[in-house]
Amino acid sequence: MSKKYVYLFTEGNANMRELLGGKGANLAEMTNIGLPVPKGFTVSTEACTQYYEDGRQINDEIMGQVKEALKTLEQRTGKQFGNPENPLLVSVRSGARASMPGMMDTILNLGLNSVVVEGLAKLTNNPRFAYDAYRRFIQMFSDVVMEIPKSNFEAIFDANKEAEGVKQDFELSAEGLKKTVKEYKVKYRELKGEDFPEEPSVQLYEAIKAVFRSWDNPRANVYRRMNEIPYSWGTAVNVQEMVFGNMGETSGTGVAFTRNPATGEKALFGEYLFNAQGEDVVAGIRTPKPISELEKDNPAVYKQFVEVANKLEQHYRDMQDMEFTIENGKLFMLQTRNGKRTAAAAIKIAIALVKEGLLTKEEAIMKVEPNQLNSLLHPQFKADELKKGVVITTALAASPGAGTGKVVFTAERAKELVAAGEKKVILVRAETSPEDIEGMVVSQGILTERGGMTSHAAVVARGMGACCVAGASEISVNAEEKYFTCNGKKYSEGDWISLDGSTGKVYDGQINTEPASISGDFAVFMGWADEIRKLHVRTNADTPADAKRAFEFGAEGVGLVRTEHMFFNGAERIKAIREMIVATSVEKRKEALAKLLPMQRGDFEGIYRAMEGRPVVIRYLDPPLHEFVPHTAAEIKEIAEDTGLTPEQVQETCDSLKEFNPMLGHRGCRLSITYPEIAEMQTRAVIEAAINVTREGKIKVNPEIMIPLVGDIKELKYVKKVVVETAEKVFAEQGITLPYEVGTMIEVPRAALLADEIAQEAEFFSFGTNDLTQMTFGFSRDDAGKFLEDYYAKKVFEQDPFQHLDQHGVGKLMKHAVEAGRATRPTLSCGICGEHGGDPASVEFCHNIGLNYVSCSPFRVPIARLAAAQAQVKNPRK
Amino acid sequence: MSKKYVYLFTEGNANMRELLGGKGANLAEMTNIGLPVPKGFTVSTEACTQYYEDGRQINDEIMGQVKEALKTLEQRTGKQFGNPENPLLVSVRSGARASMPGMMDTILNLGLNSVVVEGLAKLTNNPRFAYDAYRRFIQMFSDVVMEIPKSNFEAIFDANKEAEGVKQDFELSAEGLKKTVKEYKVKYRELKGEDFPEEPSVQLYEAIKAVFRSWDNPRANVYRRMNEIPYSWGTAVNVQEMVFGNMGETSGTGVAFTRNPATGEKALFGEYLFNAQGEDVVAGIRTPKPISELEKDNPAVYKQFVEVANKLEQHYRDMQDMEFTIENGKLFMLQTRNGKRTAAAAIKIAIALVKEGLLTKEEAIMKVEPNQLNSLLHPQFKADELKKGVVITTALAASPGAGTGKVVFTAERAKELVAAGEKKVILVRAETSPEDIEGMVVSQGILTERGGMTSHAAVVARGMGACCVAGASEISVNAEEKYFTCNGKKYSEGDWISLDGSTGKVYDGQINTEPASISGDFAVFMGWADEIRKLHVRTNADTPADAKRAFEFGAEGVGLVRTEHMFFNGAERIKAIREMIVATSVEKRKEALAKLLPMQRGDFEGIYRAMEGRPVVIRYLDPPLHEFVPHTAAEIKEIAEDTGLTPEQVQETCDSLKEFNPMLGHRGCRLSITYPEIAEMQTRAVIEAAINVTREGKIKVNPEIMIPLVGDIKELKYVKKVVVETAEKVFAEQGITLPYEVGTMIEVPRAALLADEIAQEAEFFSFGTNDLTQMTFGFSRDDAGKFLEDYYAKKVFEQDPFQHLDQHGVGKLMKHAVEAGRATRPTLSCGICGEHGGDPASVEFCHNIGLNYVSCSPFRVPIARLAAAQAQVKNPRK
């Protein structure tokens, strides 16, 4: 029962992505639509999975198929591995189902050895080229296959360049390169204790193994976790006949997009380098030329490339990101894929493709990653502050948005400072590499000295929606000594700078930012999403300001007001709640609550007004009371004086509130059962505010009162009774009646299990998936961070269940609760107000299990709207 | 649609217990089998429920039916309410489905007023009797209906007795009683601001309301919680024509059992008092005569009573507890019920009833409350210490077992001391009352100065399996000043005494106790339970000694070894674990673990030997590591010196282990994922111990390795791999292979939800219902105590879900997990090792959902065995 693990490019197609990886599938597709693609084959992702199952060994069956494919490749190219007369050289590239910059990328020129290199020199009559290729191969192979640090070889290479007095790599003579190769091999033996492998088949075997191995390296694991790529997918390996961009001045290599990936503008966009191999462009070591100049340099090749680009965009019905090589004036396509782009570009392109008739609206909304919208909602500089801004340099506008922060020079330092509480840092690097990803994530922006629009920094920053200014050649970074200079001025760690990733401008000092709004293409696009989606999107908002912002971002209501957040808002409030806590009788407690009443009522009025008649879900006091207690002696003294207690008595009450496991302690509805007067005050505030705003005559108010942490119907019944009695009392006092609902959070597993009962009392459900996740897993969110790192490292978990809803376990409870709740009360409205409500994958799940709405933070409202629309396209529901 | 709320005794029968309460149903039954029962009727439990639904009002429909029944009663008795010529007097008694001493009990002589009392005096030609009845009525009505403390009236009564120079109640003259009644009424008006009610129908209405109200008094609520009686049941009220035991020397009242409730001996057992009403016997105010003396005093009545008793025992096929009154030489039965009895008596009676052909074995095992067995397993005095014991007095052997402790004089003080950590107290009271229950629960034994075998102290102590010596008239208790004297010697609070409730002896000082064993009738009875039951019973045991004791109590294996408990066992062990915790490298951690290995291995060997080949489930390290860290500076210094770290470093490690919610923190299998070397060491200990004991050649060892706190199959997979690899290594080293299993606790809700998956890896399940309850409810066991009191007070909860398994919610998860697990692995063994495993109701649930075994603490093993057998009788399974 032999399985097919190896596919010639002629055997695959674009739909075989899962098996061949994105790169392999597209190489096959291009081959089959007749584009100039060097011949080759792909070792499938299943071979990778098998490699891990076999204890990190490539078994004989797979290697047999590789050899078979290689033989075919030799026949078809007419070249041979190891034959100096007519040598076959290949590239070896990783290629997973999704693009993964964190993995080993490429080995070029594989097949060279001390004999073949001489043959190649003779054959091409170009010893410089041959030894440059060999030099590169040794360097890459040593680095990515043998894990010898690059610096060992760079030092040798630099010494040889210096010896000849040249600066650029391509200026080094053939002799210099020969010497370099010789010294490389000595270094290799010195470090590895054995000779650099001469046998091409050994080189190939080791290279394939290295690609498979790289699937499990720490960078790849981090990248997968960030991008939700399952470990189980594995990577494919592409083995492809070499074509050479470094054969001289009629050769070159480049990358290009069919449209501008930053703006979405319809024009070929890219860069190329003469006499170079691919790595030179991506690495940002030499600054490449814009693709448009190719038209002058080689009009024929340019024309052919434009045709290829158009054909690919039409074929894939999406903007393409292509790699090509020109060998002695002949064009070869090495890769195509749907290009990564900024959110603004993604939207512009999606709208354009609909206008061009290539896509329907439904297809178009699938072209934008919901999380990407984040960048459009990102802060922009405040106009008035920007006026006074001093530009210190202008470079590539590599990733849009504005950022301001304190300068740091390493990713580690960025992480450290942010972990220590620093809110704003700007990462400044000579150039970035995959090791820097985590530092980039926590930064407000990234500034690099070297590299183009497709450099690592630019690509990654756009992907994550962070602002980035790249290739700022006027700055000079000294990471060691923690400073950079720019036109004579020195900036040290901790100094403020500001970046505009949309203009490429770098400003001196701090320029504060403000949020963006939804207009233009963005508004059109979101309109389409709203037309399509069935799932409503509400927001979590604790203040009128939050509610207003969310409303502007399209929130259709408030899904969660955390009333306790209001208590922290100002000294007077916290004082009143503290008086409530230390009260020694119900009367005193009610007195203290009476002070909070007008404040809460005022906040609710503001939120009702901001939402203009849309529903507002108000959750009653949730956290344990010890979160509010005074800590300092002065605070304790103040409360003691206000309440006529001794400081010792106040201290004693505070101490008595301490809990072993506060998460599972005296909080949520449990507080209202002990102190029904709290629920009374909150009901009075909710209802009185609703009456006041209703009487203003402009809007109808729809308060939904949400009782937290219910685990048993009797808890809900008890608190609901307090709510209803108080509401009736207020209605009687005011001579007016208003509709309101009383519902509950489903956040305790028991409530989810017994949802059929709970729905007898609850008029709505809202899943509190933060707590539901904590209790279903038995994970304390405040503590799990420590051991979850071990879980990731050991592949026990791949995702943080607090970031991405655990659809399998927690989701099972949710699905049950929705079904059981609606069996009791068919009209039961169900929503989610945990932080998962703004996570696209979780939004899709909520759509699939039939929730009525998701509620998320204001900035995630547009993301949830788009995710909801995409969910509807994938799995239409009525 | 009128509902029937009131039933004449002629309308009911013994099966109507739910509707009529136990007392009402049996009064009806006795009426219908032709026994001499005063006529009357029962207001049903549904009327009580209705009373609460109507906001604590008896509605007109119910009162109408009461009046109707009263009219019938008047017709049938030929007497009339309020008619001085021929007055109807009634008793009003509460009567719930289950006997509830915590509730209002009885009002006698209702119907008397200033006119009727004169009529009664004339009619009986016995003014002393008439005024004694009136005095009692005012006193009882004021106390239980109007809640006027008894002491107000006792002072008046005592003053009048003193004025006449008499000691006993019945010695007071008619004039003295008349004066007493007059003064009572003055006192009543003084305290209530209105006259004592004259109108019999008002008296009746208030009395019925008082019974209903008493269902919700704090004592009743506590009693119900202790005895698992649902609040929703409600109580019935029995209204019955008075017969008078206080009509003179040919009248009397008494209580009797058909067999001895302490020993089970087949002989009429009881007490009676001449010229008294029932309350005099129960209250223990006068010391009554043994029932046997009635034969001399009134042979005809005695003969009739013996016939009635035999008839009732045959009819109910169980030992009966009867109340009777003799009015002018005529016998009346006032109550019968299955008698409360000691566990020893229960067993003896059950066995006798089988021998007498009245019961099958299956019926017989239902006659013993599993929890009662507790008393048989209670400590007895150590024989050698007992030899030296000095008896200070001997009184009634009211409840068997031995106890030793420090003397306390109030229930509150008993609770205080025990809460403060005192392990052993003896409660000494003049007499006990329902207010004392909670103090009795925490005491090692109860000693009373007054009262007989049916006094409150005796009845309650037997019920709860506590030892009790009652009616010790040689002691004189001064509770106020906290001492008692006995034959000239004074014992103050804190002095030690010892009680033998089986002999009635009270000893000076501390006599230590030792556990009992299962033999004789007990062994026979448990043999029957074992024949019947299908559910196996294992034990939780952390030491060889625990395992041995449990084995003697019939444990069929160990269901839980908490390995961490071994770590606390001795300075050397705790030191080694601390070294493990502060280890800065895997190597150092392994070094520390190597020190623990021989200790764990030795413990396991001991447990294997104790269990003689029965299965032993060993749970791997479960608690968070901070439970083991050193606390004092000296301990920190010691560990620092041992490990070559600075004290600051040790302190830092300890601090870093602190968690916000340790219950949901880094514990259970999470520890083994971070530190697989711990699981390695534990596996080595488990397997090496098994090999060593197997090589001794006497027994086969069946270790079952249990991984705690699993929530995802990958966690189990990871740790199982470590276990299996280590076991294989040990097998290879030792040249021997042994069977063992790897399973998991189901204690995280997610594991229960995904049990189908977990069962792919787990070879057995054991429900850890402590943690499962915590997480399913979101209750921290360490914190919930505080707010659960509010839950009980407000009827949100009636039971502590940590004591009695929440079958409805947690049980639903368990049922799902069993079904899902067995769908994957049909042979999956499922058990429970949470503390619920020893709770009879929970055991029944475990039987019903098809668990293979329950595991509980050694002392609860016999209880679980019996509960399992009863579950099988109720719901037979294969």
Side-chain angles (χ1 to χ4, degrees), chain A residues 6 37 103 191 242 300 367 374 460 502 527 758 818:
Chain A
V6 178
V37 175
M103 270 168 50
L191 293 170
M242 279 301 303
K367 294 291 180 188
N374 210 11
V460 172
S502 313
I758 305 280
V818 171

Side-chain angles (χ1 to χ4, degrees), chain A residues 404-422:
Chain A
T404 187
K406 292 179 180 166
V407 168
V408 291
F409 293 92
T410 63
E412 286 65 37
R413 187 66 184 146
K415 277 161 59 186
E416 264 172 44
L417 285 177
V418 170
E422 183 56 65

Side-chain angles (χ1 to χ4, degrees), chain B residues 21-255:
Chain B
K23 188 176 289 180
N26 286 333
L27 282 167
E29 186 79 11
M30 286 197 291
T31 300
N32 294 327
I33 62 172
L35 296 182
V37 175
K39 295 177 177 56
F41 59 85
T42 304
V43 188
S44 76
T45 55
E46 289 178 351
C48 179
T49 312
Q50 192 59 47
Y51 159 86
Y52 281 103
E53 274 176 25
D54 292 343
R56 302 192 172 221
Q57 296 296 329
I58 304 180
N59 69 32
D60 290 346
E61 187 180 1
I62 296 171
M63 273 320 287
Q65 293 187 25
V66 168
K67 282 178 194 152
E68 202 58 45
L70 192 67
K71 206 176 290 171
T72 310
L73 188 58
E74 287 177 332
Q75 284 162 0
R76 294 196 183 168
T77 57
K79 299 174 181 173
Q80 267 186 315
F81 237 23
N83 181 348
E85 309 292 316
N86 193 18
L88 174 65
L89 302 188
V90 297
S91 65
V92 177
R93 290 182 167 94
S94 64
R97 219 190 283 191
S99 163
M100 276 195 48
M103 270 167 52
M104 185 205 93
D105 205 17
T106 300
I107 298 168
L108 300 179
N109 313 332
L110 188 141
L112 280 171
N113 59 25
S114 49
V115 179
V116 171
V117 70
E118 280 299 326
L120 187 65
K122 217 181 285 172
L123 210 66
T124 57
N125 198 19
N126 191 342
R128 213 212 80 84
F129 154 70
Y131 278 94
D132 186 47
Y134 198 22
R135 182 269 304 176
R136 289 172 187 268
F137 171 55
I138 297 174
Q139 208 169 322
M140 281 189 270
F141 188 89
S142 301
D143 172 19
V144 299
V145 177
M146 293 303 167
E147 292 167 356
I148 299 172
K150 271 185 275 194
S151 54
N152 287 297
F153 299 102
E154 279 166 359
I156 294 170
F157 192 42
D158 288 349
N160 280 305
K161 284 195 285 182
E162 208 172 321
E164 291 194 10
V166 301
K167 283 198 84 172
Q168 300 284 358
D169 295 359
F170 58 82
E171 292 168 342
L172 189 62
S173 70
E175 279 315 301
L177 286 164
K178 240 183 210 175
K179 183 158 167 282
T180 302
V181 162
K182 206 171 151 193
E183 289 169 12
Y184 274 13
K185 287 187 175 175
V186 172
K187 190 64 168 181
Y188 184 94
R189 184 170 36 223
E190 181 190 322
L191 292 171
K192 299 297 290 184
E194 60 183 25
D195 284 334
F196 187 84
E198 284 280 296
E199 181 54 55
S201 64
V202 171
Q203 295 170 355
L204 181 62
Y205 174 74
E206 291 296 336
I208 294 174
K209 240 175 40 178
V211 173
F212 286 160
R213 194 169 61 227
S214 74
W215 179 250
D216 192 34
N217 74 31
R219 282 202 317 275
N221 285 325
V222 167
Y223 186 90
R224 265 198 301 276
R225 191 136 52 78
M226 278 177 48
N227 291 276
E228 302 159 47
I229 299 172
Y231 179 73
S232 62
W233 281 3
T235 182
V237 184
N238 298 291
V239 178
Q240 189 174 22
E241 183 193 3
M242 280 300 303
V243 286
F244 298 98
N246 56 341
M247 265 202 178
E249 288 306 310
T250 58
S251 299
T253 186
V255 299

Side-chain angles (χ1 to χ4, degrees), chain A residues 498-673:
Chain A
S498 303
L499 306 182
D500 188 334
S502 313
T503 63
K505 290 193 168 111
V506 181
Y507 297 86
D508 181 76
Q510 180 174 8
I511 303 176
N512 288 308
T513 55
E514 64 184 358
S517 70
I518 299 180
S519 58
D521 278 352
F522 190 8
V524 170
F525 184 79
M526 291 311 297
W528 293 354
D530 290 345
E531 277 170 32
I532 292 164
R533 72 186 160 90
K534 299 292 177 190
L535 186 68
H536 293 286
V537 177
R538 298 190 187 178
T539 191
N540 300 350
D542 304 332
T543 63
D546 275 1
K548 213 167 145 44
R549 170 163 309 141
F551 184 78
E552 285 159 8
F553 282 161
E556 298 166 280
V558 174
L560 177 64
V561 178
R562 282 159 293 211
T563 52
E564 59 272 14
H565 283 205
M566 301 174 169
F567 295 156
F568 285 115
N569 202 355
E572 208 184 343
R573 294 174 177 217
I574 187 77
K575 221 177 91 177
I577 187 126
R578 284 172 181 174
E579 284 174 27
M580 191 277 281
I581 290 171
V582 301
T584 49
S585 68
V586 176
E587 288 62 41
K588 289 196 175 156
R589 200 171 304 116
K590 284 188 174 176
E591 268 172 43
L593 286 165
K595 294 184 192 168
L596 287 166
L597 173 63
M599 306 175 195
Q600 287 235 307
R601 190 174 51 216
D603 288 331
F604 295 150
E605 288 168 2
I607 291 173
Y608 293 153
R609 288 190 199 106
M611 291 318 288
E612 300 188 5
R614 285 160 189 76
V616 175
V617 176
I618 294 166
R619 180 179 71 182
Y620 279 15
L621 187 64
D622 185 52
L625 295 184
H626 49 73
E627 290 198 5
F628 302 100
V629 300
H631 297 291
T632 65
E635 287 172 341
I636 288 173
K637 193 157 160 265
E638 186 189 3
I639 296 300
E641 280 165 8
D642 288 343
T643 54
L645 297 167
T646 65
E648 291 70 31
Q649 287 172 317
V650 172
Q651 183 67 59
E652 205 176 299
T653 303
C654 297
D655 290 347
S656 76
L657 292 173
K658 279 188 191 138
E659 294 181 306
F660 292 97
N661 298 291
M663 225 294 297
L664 306 178
H666 196 187
R667 47 174 291 239
C669 68
R670 300 164 195 174
L671 292 173
S672 294
I673 289 171

